[in-house]
Amino acid sequence: MEKPNRPKNLPVKLDYSIFARELADAAFELGKLDGLQRQLPDPSLLISPLTVKEATTSSKIEGTKSTVSDVMRYEAGELAKHPDTIEVANYRQASLWAMKKLGHRKLSLSFIKDLHGILLNQVRGHVKRGAFRDDQVFIGKDGDTIKD
């Protein structure tokens, strides 16, 4: 079996002149975006749909069936159509909370337990909020072994 092609020395030295134009264009567009967000009364509104999309997409690994629309409707006050919707909304809230708190709080066991508490609020497994598992788990179909 052939070894994958890997760089010999890390970190790799990049020649930015190869993509200088793209880098300059990206920096310019980010500058425009930064200027626009400063005019908003609540800049988080700009990224809110993206955080819902990220939470929905990331939660699919757990088998959730909730959509971006489901989560947005739930957060706007509608009843959740699926229990999964609350889980995805909790994932998003935990992510937003973590981004806010990490500016002045260290990553620690209590921080992780607090995140876990947000994640499991009003969903299956809520009785174990803020507690670490003492058994091994894996993602798979019901009845599969870890080798499967």
Side-chain angles (χ1 to χ4, degrees), residues 75-145:
E75 289 185 347
E78 285 187 21
L79 292 176
K81 291 180 183 178
H82 314 284
D84 293 348
T85 302
I86 301 170
E87 290 185 25
V88 176
N90 286 354
Y91 176 100
R92 178 173 178 257
Q93 291 306 314
S95 296
L96 294 171
W97 181 86
M99 287 186 274
K100 181 179 177 183
K101 296 293 182 182
L102 280 174
H104 61 276
R105 187 171 168 192
K106 291 182 180 182
L107 185 60
S108 64
L109 295 179
S110 68
F111 185 89
I112 292 169
K113 287 180 178 183
D114 288 345
L115 275 174
H116 192 251
I118 297 167
L119 198 59
L120 292 185
N121 188 31
Q122 299 179 353
V123 296
R124 62 189 164 130
H126 63 90
V127 295
K128 296 182 180 180
R129 287 175 62 193
F132 290 112
R133 292 180 189 222
D134 52 3
D135 57 332
Q136 186 175 13
V137 297
F138 61 93
I139 297 171
K141 296 177 189 165
D142 284 340
D144 282 355
T145 67

Side-chain angles (χ1 to χ4, degrees), residues 18-81:
I18 295 171
F19 52 90
R21 181 70 191 165
E22 292 85 357
L23 189 59
D25 289 346
F28 177 73
E29 295 299 329
L30 283 172
K32 287 184 353 187
L33 184 62
D34 184 53
L36 288 172
Q37 69 91 21
R38 290 175 190 269
Q39 296 175 17
L40 295 173
D42 183 1
S44 67
L45 294 174
L46 190 61
I47 64 161
S48 186
L50 297 174
T51 61
V52 175
K53 177 68 174 170
E54 192 279 330
T56 305
T57 304
S58 293
S59 297
K60 286 198 185 302
I61 195 168
E62 296 286 337
T64 61
K65 296 170 181 66
S66 189
T67 66
V68 170
S69 296
D70 292 338
V71 175
M72 293 184 100
R73 285 187 188 107
Y74 172 74
E75 289 185 347
E78 285 187 21
L79 292 176
K81 291 180 183 178

